[in-house]
C-alpha cells in the first residue's frame, strides 16, 4: 500500500481540458538486424508480459479516496491485460519526419484513462528507410524523467538477442486500504494539516526567494534573508537572480493542441565545447537552448531585453523505479542569457548562471516542490489547481519554460531485436510553465532533443529545433577558433547526420 505524495498528486491535479500530465518519448528503431526483421505488436506485448514485474508503475492503477478527501493510493491491477495498452498504426506515404512528428503530437495530446494503469505504447510503422517508431507515455504522477528512462531500460537489451529475465519473486500484492481506512486517514491528515503546513514553511523559509510563484510574493526575499541570518545559513550563498520572467509569446493560457519536433546533435561536439570553455555538458545544453530561443524570438520581433527564466528539473532519487513508484525530483531556476548578442558571452553567461543555481540548490532543501504542494489541503488542490495555473499564466508567469537534460547510456540498445538509433524525450506543458518544453536525452554518442509546443504559443516547433542545431554549429566554430588561437588544433570530430528538419 502506498499513497501518492503531495507532488505526485499535484501532477494529477494539474490536468485539465488543456493539459495532459504525462512524460513520454519516441524511440526510433532499425529492425534490419533483428532476427524477425521487424517489430510487431505481438512481440512487444510478449516482451511486456515477461518483464512487467521489473516495472511496477505499469501494473498499478489509482484508488481514489471517497469525495476526493485525500490523495489517491496506488493499488495493483491484477486483472488488466498489457495488450489493451499497446497500439499499432501505419504512417501514410512517404513516412517522413514531419509526418511522424504530427502523429506523435496527436498521441501526446490525449489524456490517459485514470480507471486503468496510466500508460500506453504505440508502434508506428511506415517510416522512411524501413524504420519503426515506438511512442510510449506514462503519467507524471507515476514516473519522473529518470525513472521513466529506467522504465524504458527494463524493456531494452544489450544485443539483438532478447535476454531471459528471472521470474517475479513471490510476494503479497500491494492493495489500497478499504473505504473506512481511507476516510480515517483523510480525517487524521485534515486535523494535523495546520501543523504540517507550519513545518513545511519552516523548512522552506530560507529559500522562499528561489521558489517559483512564492518568490514573487511581497516580503518573500526579506523572510528568506532573515531566516538564513537566524539559522546561520547565509554564508557564501550567492544572491538569487531576478526571478521576474519577462512576458514572451511562450507564456499565457495554452490549448489542448500540441506540436512536436525533434533532432540530434553529436555528443562529442557538446563535450568538446564544454572542455574548451571549462564548463559542463549541461551548461552547453542551456546555452544551446538560450541561443535557439533568442533566434526564434528575434524572428518574431518578441525578444525581451532581459534573460528568460527556465525551470530545470533535478533528479534527487534515492531509490530505483523498480523500488518506488512516483516522483523523486526537485527543480532549479536559472536565467537564460537570451539578451546577449555575442555567442561566446552567451555560452559563458549560461555556465555562470548554472553554477550559481547549483550552489543555491546544494544549500537548499531539495524537496521544496513536495513541501510546496503539501501546504494546500488535498480537496482544495484538486479543485483549484487548474484555475490557479490559468490565472497565473495571464498575470505574471513564474517561468518562461522548462528545460530538462536526462543522461542516458553511451552504447547501443535493442527493443525486440531492433536497434534503437535515437530516443527523443517529451514532457508536459501547463499554463503556468509556458507553451514550450525542451527535453534532451544523451544516448549512444548523440544528444537527442524533443521539443513540445502549444501551437497557440509556438506554431513552428521545427524552427526551434533547427535553431538548436544551428547553435551547435556556432559553438563548434567557437571551440575550433579557441583551439587554434590557443595553439591547439582540435582533431575533427565525427559528426553523425542529425535528423532532417522540415522547413
Amino acid at each position: 500500500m502506498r499513497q501518492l505524495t503531495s507532488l505526485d498528486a499535484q501532477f494529477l491535479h494539474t490536468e485539465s481540458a488543456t493539459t495532459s500530465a504525462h512524460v513520454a518519448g519516441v524511440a526510433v528503431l532499425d529492425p534490419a538486424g533483428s532476427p524477425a526483421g521487424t517489430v510487431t505488436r505481438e512481440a512487444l506485448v510478449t516482451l511486456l508480459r515477461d518483464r512487467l514485474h521489473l516495472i511496477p508503475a505499469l501494473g498499478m492503477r489509482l484508488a481514489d479516496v471517497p469525495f476526493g478527501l485525500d490523495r489517491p493510493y496506488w493499488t495493483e491491477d491484477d486483472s488488466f491485460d498489457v495488450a489493451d495498452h499497446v497500439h499499432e498504426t501505419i504512417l501514410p506515404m512517404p513516412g517522413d519526419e514531419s509526418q511522424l512528428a504530427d502523429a506523435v503530437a496527436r498521441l501526446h495530446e490525449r489524456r490517459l484513462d485514470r480507471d486503468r494503469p496510466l500508460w500506453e505504447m504505440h508502434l508506428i510503422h511506415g517510416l522512411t528507410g524501413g524504420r519503426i517508431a515506438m511512442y510510449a507515455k506514462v503519467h507524471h504522477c507515476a514516473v519522473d524523467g529518470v525513472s521513466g528512462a529506467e522504465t524504458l531500460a527494463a524493456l531494452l537489451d544489450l544485443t539483438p538477442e532478447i535476454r531471459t529475465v528471472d521470474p517475479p519473486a513471490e510476494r503479497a500484492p500491494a492493495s489500497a486500504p478499504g473505504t473506512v481506512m481511507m476516510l480515517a486517514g483523510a480525517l487524521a491528515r485534515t486535523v494535523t494539516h495546520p501543523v504540517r503546513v507550519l513545518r513545511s514553511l519552516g523548512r522552506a523559509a530560507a529559500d522562499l526567494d528561489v521558489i517559483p510563484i512564492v518568490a514573487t510574493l511581497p516580503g518573500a526575499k526579506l523572510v528568506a534573508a532573515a531566516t538564513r541570518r537566524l539559522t546561520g545559513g547565509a554564508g557564501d550563498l550567492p544572491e538569487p537572480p531576478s526571478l521576474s520572467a519577462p512576458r514572451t509569446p511562450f507564456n499565457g493560457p495554452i490549448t489542448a493542441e500540441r506540436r512536436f519536433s525533434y533532432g540530434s546533435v553529436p555528443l562529442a561536439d557538446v563535450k568538446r565545447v564544454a572542455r574548451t570553455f571549462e564548463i559542463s555538458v549541461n551548461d552547453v545544453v542551456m546555452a544551446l537552448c538560450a541561443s535557439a530561443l533568442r533566434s526564434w524570438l528575434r524572428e518574431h520581433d518578441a525578444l525581451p531585453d532581459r534573460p528568460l527564466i527556465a525551470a530545470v528539473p533535478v533528479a534527487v532519487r534515492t531509490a530505483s523505479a523498480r523500488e518506488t513508484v512516483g516522483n523523486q525530483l526537485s527543480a532549479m531556476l536559472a536565467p537564460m542569457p537570451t539578451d546577449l548578442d555575442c555567442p561566446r558571452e552567451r555560452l559563458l553567461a549560461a555556465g555562470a548562471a548554472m553554477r550559481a543555481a547549483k550552489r543555491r540548490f546544494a544549500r537548499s532543501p531539495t524537496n521544496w516542490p513536495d513541501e510546496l504542494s503539501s501546504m494546500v489541503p488535498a480537496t482544495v488542490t484538486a479543485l483549484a489547481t487548474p484555475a490557479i495555473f490559468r490565472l497565473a499564466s495571464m498575470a505574471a508567469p513564474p517561468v518562461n519554460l522548462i528545460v530538462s537534460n536526462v543522461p542516458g547510456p553511451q552504447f547501443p540498445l535493442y527493443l525486440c531485436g531492433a536497434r534503437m538509433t535515437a530516443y527523443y524525450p517529451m514532457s508536459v506543458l501547463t499554463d503556468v510553465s509556458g507553451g514550450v518544453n525542451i527535453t534532451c536525452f544523451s544516448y549512444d554518442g548523440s544528444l537527442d532533443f524533443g521539443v513540445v509546443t502549444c501551437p497557440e504559443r509556438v506554431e513552428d516547433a521545427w524552427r526551434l529545433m533547427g535553431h538548436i542545431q544551428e547553435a551547435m554549429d556556432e559553438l563548434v566554430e567557437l571551440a575550433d577558433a579557441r583551439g587554434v588561437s590557443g595553439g591547439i588544433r582540435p582533431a575533427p570530430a565525427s559528426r553523425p547526420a542529425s535528423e532532417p528538419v522540415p522547413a
Side-chain angles (χ1 to χ4, degrees):
M1 177 185 73
R2 182 177 182 274
Q3 189 176 27
L4 272 70
T5 67
S6 297
L7 181 59
D8 295 341
Q10 184 67 58
F11 285 115
L12 282 179
H13 304 327
T14 296
E15 286 198 321
S16 68
T18 61
T19 300
S20 299
H22 43 254
V23 292
V26 180
V28 178
L29 308 170
D30 180 4
S34 66
T38 187
V39 178
T40 64
R41 177 178 177 272
E42 291 73 22
L44 183 55
V45 168
T46 299
L47 185 73
L48 283 162
R49 285 173 175 159
D50 289 343
R51 301 187 185 180
L52 190 64
H53 61 286
L54 303 179
I55 320 167
L58 302 192
M60 298 282 190
R61 64 172 176 82
L62 296 174
D64 290 322
V65 176
F67 313 112
L69 294 176
D70 202 357
R71 304 188 302 274
Y73 289 82
W74 289 114
T75 184
E76 288 189 19
D77 188 347
D78 295 326
S79 64
F80 94 105
D81 186 351
V82 296
D84 295 334
H85 295 252
V86 180
H87 311 276
E88 200 166 27
T89 188
I90 301 176
L91 292 177
M93 293 291 288
D96 59 23
E97 314 299 331
S98 61
Q99 287 176 306
L100 175 61
D102 290 345
V104 166
R106 289 192 295 271
L107 294 173
H108 202 61
E109 292 169 357
R110 301 205 301 249
R111 291 169 57 181
L112 290 159
D113 182 355
R114 293 193 186 180
D115 292 330
R116 308 194 305 171
L118 297 172
W119 63 277
E120 285 181 3
M121 290 184 182
H122 296 257
L123 276 179
I124 304 173
H125 298 275
L127 269 175
T128 56
R131 296 170 301 156
I132 299 168
M134 193 273 284
Y135 167 82
K137 62 180 175 183
V138 186
H139 203 286
H140 213 328
C141 71
V143 299
D144 50 40
V146 172
S147 59
E150 290 181 14
T151 297
L152 176 65
L155 300 178
L156 299 172
D157 298 306
L158 296 174
T159 69
E161 183 180 352
I162 299 174
R163 73 183 191 274
T164 301
V165 300
D166 294 331
E170 290 291 333
R171 61 177 182 80
S175 58
T179 301
V180 173
M181 290 295 293
M182 283 186 178
L183 292 174
L187 176 61
R189 273 180 282 279
T190 299
V191 171
T192 59
H193 184 261
V195 176
R196 295 200 310 277
V197 169
L198 289 174
R199 287 176 179 170
S200 294
L201 280 172
R203 288 189 289 263
D207 294 278
L208 294 180
D209 51 351
V210 292
I211 296 178
I213 301 177
V214 176
T216 62
L217 298 176
K221 290 187 176 181
L222 291 176
V223 171
T227 303
R228 287 195 294 269
R229 283 196 297 270
L230 287 172
T231 59
D236 59 350
L237 204 62
E239 283 297 314
S242 170
L243 296 184
S244 175
R247 175 65 65 177
T248 73
F250 308 146
N251 302 107
I254 62 173
T255 68
E257 287 188 89
R258 297 292 179 265
R259 296 289 184 269
F260 175 57
S261 65
Y262 60 93
S264 303
V265 300
L267 186 59
D269 284 354
V270 176
K271 290 182 175 179
R272 181 149 59 94
V273 171
R275 285 195 306 269
T276 301
F277 292 94
E278 298 180 332
I279 57 178
S280 73
V281 166
N282 199 57
D283 297 342
V284 178
V285 169
M286 294 299 289
L288 289 173
C289 294
S291 296
L293 296 166
R294 173 184 170 85
S295 296
W296 190 94
L297 289 166
R298 286 188 65 188
E299 287 179 349
H300 293 77
D301 297 320
L303 181 63
D305 59 0
R306 65 181 192 271
L308 269 60
I309 303 297
V312 182
V314 180
V316 291
R317 298 195 68 81
T318 57
S320 70
R322 188 172 177 177
E323 298 170 335
T324 303
V325 177
N327 290 268
Q328 296 181 52
L329 59 80
S330 187
M332 298 187 302
L333 295 190
M336 303 187 74
T338 49
D339 55 322
L340 298 179
D341 181 61
C342 173
R344 182 178 180 277
E345 290 181 7
R346 203 159 50 241
L347 175 66
L348 297 178
M354 287 303 293
R355 285 193 296 275
K358 290 171 186 174
R359 285 178 61 198
R360 285 295 303 237
F361 184 81
R363 298 279 298 275
S364 305
T366 57
N367 63 336
W368 68 258
D370 194 57
E371 299 282 10
L372 191 62
S373 300
S374 68
M375 291 183 189
V376 182
T379 50
V380 177
T381 305
L383 295 173
T385 296
I388 292 172
F389 275 29
R390 205 147 187 92
L391 288 172
S393 72
M394 292 186 287
V399 297
N400 295 110
L401 76 161
I402 296 175
V403 178
S404 183
N405 178 17
V406 180
Q410 295 310 302
F411 45 82
L413 295 169
Y414 299 82
L415 178 70
C416 296
R419 178 169 177 165
M420 187 173 79
T421 59
Y423 182 77
Y424 304 105
M426 305 174 68
S427 196
V428 181
L429 299 182
T430 70
D431 291 315
V432 78
S433 62
V436 176
N437 184 295
I438 302 176
T439 307
C440 63
F441 181 77
S442 56
Y443 167 67
D444 195 23
S446 289
L447 198 58
D448 299 332
F449 283 85
V451 179
V452 180
T453 72
C454 167
E456 182 75 12
R457 298 288 140 208
V458 176
E459 171 67 31
D460 49 346
W462 282 110
R463 288 297 296 156
L464 269 177
M465 188 61 240
H467 286 315
I468 290 174
Q469 293 169 320
E470 292 163 5
M472 187 72 256
D473 292 337
E474 188 176 59
L475 292 184
V476 167
E477 290 179 7
L478 282 176
D480 288 346
R482 175 77 171 263
V484 171
S485 65
I488 303 172
R489 185 176 297 275
S494 160
R495 290 179 62 78
S498 56
E499 293 290 344
V501 180

